[in-house]
Amino acid sequence: RPARTMSDGSNGAGLPAVGDKVWVDPSGTTEYLATVVDIDASMGEDSYVLVRYEDSNYEAFVAPSDIARPFLPSSPRKTRSQRPTVTPSPVSTEEETTKARAKRKRAANSKSATNSKPAADKNKTTSPHFDKKKKAPAAKKKKTVESASEKSSPATEKQKEGPARKRRAPSKKPASAKTKVAKKAPIEEVPVAMETDSDNEFSSEGPDDDVDRPFQIEYSATGRATCKRCDEKIEKGTLRVSHVPLFRGKPGFKVYRHLQCAVFSEEVVTAKDVGGYKKLNKQDFMLLVERVEESKIEVQKENEELHPDELVNVGFQGEMRSPPPGLTATMLPFQVEGASWMYHQEVFVPEARGGILADEMGLGKTLQSIFAILDNRPLLQHCKPGCKHPPSSPDLTERVAEEKLWDECTTEWIHEMDLMDVPKHLIPKPRGKEPGGGARAGTLVVCPVIALSQWKSEIEKFTEHGTLTVGIYHGPKRASETPRELMLKYDV
């Protein structure tokens, strides 16, 4: 903190003291009254002063050179918004030197001789507390202009009064127009506020409508946000709805959704319950109204109670499979049912080819998966595509059906690569005995790192030795230790 203010208005370092009121002129044209809050005088000429403006209560850092002069409490100056447009009072010249008076007199005479813009001088807002060396010529000029106007002819006075009457006349027309509109307003029947012709309802002016609103609607300022419902990018300039959901009873992070993806809570009854609706145009406001009504229907459907028949557990109605060869574990009835359902989904439901086994932890999901791997084990994993099968094979029908499935999978894989625009140089090419992209392989298990060893030990525990070969693809050297041609040979 600087030292106490001295008699000359400074603190010994050429800076005001904390708590002083000063006039700040950052633009060089207009002065503002401010209070000194803090000073950093450790940087010498580069020091900065933190001030708080009296008009707006806004704090800002200013350079010492922007402080015009200290505030004179003996003659308080009105703020910028309170200053009337009047002719300034003449400045006392008792303390002025003879040289300064002569200089101001010459400047006033030269300006009064031209008399180019007397009306502009009349509208200037000045104060007797400005620097005397700067404002004394203006006072002289005002006095000269007033004396010249007193000597003007009566015709000149009429010309002055003419524009004044013309300015007063238009001021009455808007008042009468407003009165007429106010009288006609009750006659118009407007059942819904959003259908009125007034634009004030959708303008940004007026009170803030974003306070204590659970949902906010706005035009997307950027294109980086992702919709929480459809998982697509929200383009810049489109409507988006923001919401802060609760996480463990406390407000979490703000999430965004497209307007058509937003589902409002029961707190939102009308579109005006959504913050930011005043900043929308009429067309977008109507879209918000429609979405609020659609959201009510969706919420109502979610709150409807389910029919009791929908909550009855339905058992698996398909064939119950026997334990496959190589499995050493003893399966429980519900585990056999789950493994049979998995086999049914893979073989007899081609549109799904699988499903979700959602048993609780510890009920044997890994064991049921091993059951399904052994029960639906591929026969032609190690065969080349298009190889011939002996007609006398007892499982010729299964081989032909599986060969067809491998061809379909290869076609779908090629289509998927084209759909995702995968560069061709990333797709493996056949080299000698090594097949190209979309090669035949075993069962792929994707699991956390902590479960890698557990999966391998479970397979070795519940299967006979040599029934399934297991390879682990993990680590910084996984590409060299487990190359692609070696991965194709593993069963799991």
Side-chain angles (χ1 to χ4, degrees):
R1 300 285 182 175
R4 186 182 297 275
T5 306
M6 302 176 67
S7 59
D8 58 351
S10 65
N11 58 359
L15 300 174
V18 176
D20 287 355
K21 294 185 179 297
V22 294
W23 292 104
V24 182
D25 187 12
S27 60
T29 57
T30 307
E31 294 183 346
Y32 301 91
L33 182 61
T35 304
V36 178
V37 178
D38 197 1
I39 300 175
D40 182 9
S42 61
M43 303 177 63
E45 297 181 356
D46 297 332
S47 301
Y48 283 88
V49 180
L50 178 63
V51 298
R52 181 188 296 112
Y53 291 98
E54 297 292 335
D55 292 346
S56 60
N57 204 23
Y58 174 74
E59 295 186 359
F61 285 98
V62 297
S65 58
D66 294 338
I67 299 177
R69 54 197 163 66
F71 175 71
L72 300 179
S74 58
S75 54
R77 172 177 173 166
K78 294 184 178 181
T79 59
R80 187 180 181 187
S81 59
Q82 298 174 344
R83 294 183 216 161
T85 306
V86 296
T87 304
S89 60
V91 181
S92 176
T93 57
E94 296 178 358
E95 300 178 358
E96 299 178 358
T97 60
T98 306
K99 186 176 181 180
R101 288 200 300 271
K103 186 177 180 180
R104 287 194 295 272
K105 187 175 181 180
R106 288 194 300 270
N109 292 336
S110 61
K111 292 181 181 179
S112 61
T114 56
N115 198 16
S116 58
K117 296 179 180 180
D121 296 337
K122 212 167 190 179
N123 296 329
K124 287 185 178 179
T125 304
T126 58
S127 172
H129 303 295
F130 281 106
D131 191 2
K132 296 179 180 180
K133 294 184 178 181
K134 294 181 181 179
K135 294 303 176 180
K140 273 290 187 181
K141 176 182 175 183
K142 284 293 177 182
K143 193 172 182 180
T144 307
V145 172
E146 290 176 359
S147 61
S149 61
E150 292 175 358
K151 297 179 181 179
S152 59
S153 60
T156 307
E157 294 178 359
K158 291 181 180 180
Q159 292 177 1
K160 286 185 178 180
E161 295 175 0
R165 294 193 190 97
K166 290 181 180 180
R167 285 193 298 268
R168 287 194 298 270
S171 64
K172 295 181 180 180
K173 290 182 179 179
S176 61
K178 290 181 181 178
T179 306
K180 292 180 181 179
V181 173
K183 292 179 180 179
K184 291 182 179 180
I187 301 176
E188 298 180 1
E189 296 182 359
V190 184
V192 185
M194 63 185 178
E195 297 177 0
T196 58
D197 296 335
S198 175
D199 294 336
N200 295 334
E201 185 178 357
F202 307 98
S203 63
S204 59
E205 298 178 358
D208 187 12
D209 63 334
D210 297 344
V211 181
D212 297 334
R213 302 295 177 95
F215 292 88
Q216 308 287 335
I217 188 169
E218 61 183 359
Y219 294 100
S220 180
T222 64
R224 299 191 299 267
T226 304
C227 180
K228 195 67 175 178
R229 186 173 185 179
C230 65
D231 202 27
E232 295 182 0
K233 292 290 184 180
I234 303 177
E235 298 182 0
K236 182 179 180 180
T238 58
L239 288 175
R240 68 181 183 185
V241 178
S242 61
H243 174 53
V244 181
L246 295 179
F247 178 73
R248 295 180 180 177
K250 299 180 181 179
F253 296 100
K254 180 181 290 187
V255 297
Y256 295 96
R257 292 181 177 87
H258 293 102
L259 177 59
Q260 60 272 17
C261 297
V263 178
F264 302 99
S265 61
E266 297 178 353
E267 300 176 0
V268 179
V269 181
T270 63
K272 294 184 179 180
D273 295 332
V274 181
Y277 76 93
K278 291 186 177 181
K279 300 179 183 179
L280 304 180
N281 55 42
K282 291 184 178 180
Q283 183 178 2
D284 293 336
F285 182 78
M286 294 300 299
L287 294 176
L288 176 61
V289 173
E290 295 176 1
R291 184 55 199 168
V292 170
E293 297 300 326
E294 294 174 359
S295 177
K296 290 181 182 178
I297 300 175
E298 294 183 14
V299 173
Q300 184 178 1
K301 290 182 178 180
E302 291 180 359
N303 294 336
E304 291 180 356
E305 295 184 0
L306 295 176
H307 195 272
D309 294 340
E310 300 179 6
L311 304 178
V312 176
N313 292 328
V314 179
F316 175 61
Q317 304 297 330
E319 177 189 2
M320 291 296 176
R321 304 290 296 179
S322 300
L327 187 68
T328 60
T330 302
M331 304 285 289
L332 297 175
F334 76 91
Q335 294 174 342
V336 175
E337 182 181 2
S340 302
W341 173 81
M342 294 171 69
Y343 178 86
H344 178 83
Q345 290 293 112
E346 292 182 1
V347 177
F348 299 105
V349 187
E351 64 274 9
R353 293 181 183 175
I356 298 176
L357 182 63
D359 283 345
E360 294 289 344
M361 184 175 62
L363 296 182
K365 292 187 295 297
T366 305
L367 180 57
Q368 296 178 58
S369 302
I370 296 173
F371 187 111
I373 291 173
L374 290 173
D375 199 13
N376 194 23
R377 191 173 182 180
L379 300 174
L380 306 178
Q381 176 183 345
H382 304 289
C383 298
K384 293 183 179 180
C387 65
K388 297 181 179 180
H389 306 285
S392 59
S393 299
D395 54 353
L396 180 62
T397 305
E398 290 81 359
R399 287 174 177 267
V400 173
E402 185 177 331
E403 187 71 36
K404 184 179 179 181
L405 287 176
W406 282 114
D407 294 340
E408 291 178 0
C409 292
T410 304
T411 304
E412 292 178 1
W413 180 84
I414 295 174
H415 175 70
E416 186 177 356
M417 295 296 104
D418 295 340
L419 188 65
M420 299 179 66
D421 296 332
V422 178
K424 294 184 178 181
H425 69 275
L426 296 179
I427 300 176
K429 297 179 181 179
R431 297 178 182 177
K433 295 183 179 181
E434 182 181 353
R440 301 178 181 183
T443 301
L444 177 64
V445 178
V446 182
C447 62
V449 178
I450 194 173
L452 284 174
S453 302
Q454 179 185 356
W455 263 91
K456 185 177 180 181
S457 62
E458 291 282 324
I459 293 175
E460 294 174 351
K461 177 181 178 181
F462 296 117
T463 59
E464 296 178 358
H465 180 69
T467 303
L468 293 175
T469 56
V470 182
I472 296 179
Y473 189 76
H474 176 66
K477 298 181 180 180
R478 55 185 179 272
S480 59
E481 294 179 354
T482 313
R484 182 172 177 270
E485 58 272 13
L486 182 60
M487 291 176 60
L488 299 177
K489 298 180 181 181
Y490 286 110
D491 296 325
V492 180

